[in-house]
């Protein structure tokens, strides 16, 4: 599973204090499962709840939530785009401590697709593939040419 380490890196980049104090940023995987069909391939999907706990956090919760949401937008975009996933895709709990600090725990529903292919001579390769884009036309460039019906001359 690659997403937990990727999220940790993104948070540490946004919040250098957590990079300097990595023991305050805890990452766990709960409720994991594997989805694999009886197809000809052994390709599968990890499905799990990522638990992210930040201890003794003195900053406002927004300073953690914004980088997490930016990471989710790039790495698990349906949590933001799908109304059913928005409801419970990202949840949190907080223990308010003294002196304005808190322990903040996030639960994020993640999936990771793994494409498995046989290798000549035996064995398999496993490749983690990125999430499909929400917009199937993302990255396409469009050009519109209108031709005059009488002259076939391009207009615009």
């Amino acid at each position: 599973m690659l997403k937990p380490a990727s999220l940790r890196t993104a948070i540490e980049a946004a919040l250098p204090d957590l990079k300097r104090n990595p023991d305050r940023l805890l990452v766990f995987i709960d409720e994991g499962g594997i989805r694999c069909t009886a197809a000809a391939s052994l390709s599968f999907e990890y499905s799990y709840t990522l638990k992210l706990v930040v201890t003794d956090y003195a900053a406002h919760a927004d300073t953690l939530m914004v980088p997490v949401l930016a990471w989710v937008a790039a790495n698990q975009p349906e949590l933001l785009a799908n109304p059913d996933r928005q409801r419970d895709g990202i949840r949190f709990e907080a223990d308010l401590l003294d002196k304005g600090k808190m322990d903040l725990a996030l639960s994020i529903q993640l999936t990771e697709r793994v494409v498995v292919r046989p290798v000549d001579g035996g064995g398999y390769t496993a490749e983690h593939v990125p999430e499909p884009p929400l917009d199937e036309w993302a990255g396409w460039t469009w050009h519109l040419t209108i031709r005059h019906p009488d002259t076939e001359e391009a207009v615009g």
Side-chain angles (χ1 to χ4, degrees), residues 37-61:
T37 64
S41 163
L42 292 177
S43 296
F44 64 95
E45 179 182 76
Y46 288 108
S47 176
Y48 56 92
T49 301
L50 182 124
K51 297 277 186 161
L52 180 78
V53 179
V54 180
T55 61
D56 295 325
Y57 197 62
H60 194 282

Side-chain angles (χ1 to χ4, degrees), residues 3 25-26 33 41 43 70-71 94 109 115 130 155:
K3 288 183 179 181
L25 177 58
L26 309 171
S41 163
S43 296
W71 182 89
Q109 302 296 319
V115 175
V155 179

Side-chain angles (χ1 to χ4, degrees), residues 89-103:
I90 304 172
R91 308 206 45 92
F92 73 92
E93 295 179 26
D95 289 328
L96 304 177
L97 308 173
D98 61 347
K99 299 181 183 173
K101 292 184 179 181
M102 70 176 115
D103 290 344

Side-chain angles (χ1 to χ4, degrees), residues 116-120 122-125:
V116 178
R117 294 182 181 92
V119 176
D120 291 339
Y124 298 92
T125 62

